[in-house]
Amino acid sequence: MRAPFKFVTASLTAATVLGLALAQGNQPVIGLITKTETNPFFVKMKEGAQKQASALGAKLMTAAGKTDGDNASQVTAIENMVAAGAKTILITPSEPKAIIPAIQKAQAQGVQVIALDSPTDPQSAVNALFATDNFKAGVLIGQYAKAAGFSGNKVAKIAMLDLSPGPLVGIARHNGFLAGFGIKGITAKTATLATAPQVVCAQDTYGDQAKGQTAMENCLQKNPDINLVYTINEPAAFGAYQALKTAGREKDVMIVSVDGGCAGVRGVQSGQIAATSQQYPLKMAALGVVAGVNYAKSGKKASGYTDTGVTLITNKAVQGVSSKDAKFGLANCWGQ
């Protein structure tokens, strides 16, 4: 099963027709603004957007924040891209509310704005959203953790290595994990970070490996008996693993995560990560570029939410939780 690969193949077939049609007119200009240039997820998203833009005969402009949460750089990038003639801007918003005035100014000038991976707040501030169901991604790893290690009388002592204050993607994954683990009263509509008696430590990592390691070190100092770690993404997971290894705890603490990148899936193979929810940034990027070219050609804007899919990856399947193994994960990492 290689559904993400099939999507790209279909898109590139359509690219031949659209590219020839657009060759006669002005080249569409599409902007892509990611949260950072260093996170492997966004690196792959950029690669996918460039590949699709080249296939469709579009010009791709790119920019990124200095760190996750850098709203000012994203605002500047929107302004620069509009001034340079971009008619569609694809963005992974770092600050889901603070970015909205800049988005609205761009839209007022006829620019289509599409969010990738992370929604704005409200989601309706953009024309469309192409993203993982991040609550579901959290639910899957929560269900897995419960079934794999805590279905009996063993008491969970959980460290939550989160993103940062504010971003909806971080809230959705965090809350989804707790809901999947069986904490009552949490739904996809829960608007703030939920907690539970089992959570003994919560730290922000900004999705960064070094910050993930520091966060895990802090949590171990607070509660040395932690036996389950949720991480916002795989860089944070690898940081957590290093801290656990230094403390001699890597063998008896379960780490679950989100991304399903190639390095992350290899982490599943090696046993550093027990399970990860795989998402598909190449598909998000390809959909965004296709929507940009369609808007340039027809004047029709994209709308609504498109779920780009999520798959639980683990080499130790558990009953009642649907998953694929690391072989599948490597064949489909990032949506290749």
Side-chain angles (χ1 to χ4, degrees), residues 214-291:
T214 299
M216 190 71 247
E217 291 167 351
N218 292 340
C219 283
L220 287 171
Q221 288 179 1
K222 183 177 181 180
N223 193 315
D225 297 326
I226 287 166
N227 53 18
L228 175 59
V229 181
Y230 154 87
T231 63
I232 183 65
N233 65 3
E234 289 154 2
F238 286 125
Y241 179 84
Q242 187 58 50
L244 289 165
K245 186 176 181 179
T246 300
R249 297 289 316 284
E250 78 277 12
K251 300 293 186 183
D252 59 309
V253 178
M254 180 189 298
I255 299 174
V256 293
S257 195
V258 178
D259 265 355
C262 302
V265 176
R266 286 191 286 271
V268 170
Q269 284 184 315
S270 69
Q272 293 171 280
I273 299 172
T276 188
S277 286
Q278 185 171 74
Q279 51 180 347
Y280 305 107
L282 292 177
K283 184 175 182 179
M284 299 174 201
L287 283 168
V289 172
V290 169

Side-chain angles (χ1 to χ4, degrees), residues 135 171 175 185-192:
F135 186 81
I171 294 171
N175 289 349
I186 303 172
T187 71
K189 294 183 179 180
T190 303
T192 58

Side-chain angles (χ1 to χ4, degrees), residues 45 51 72 77 99 207 244 279 306:
M45 180 177 282
K51 182 176 181 180
I99 196 66
L244 289 165
Q279 51 180 347
T306 298

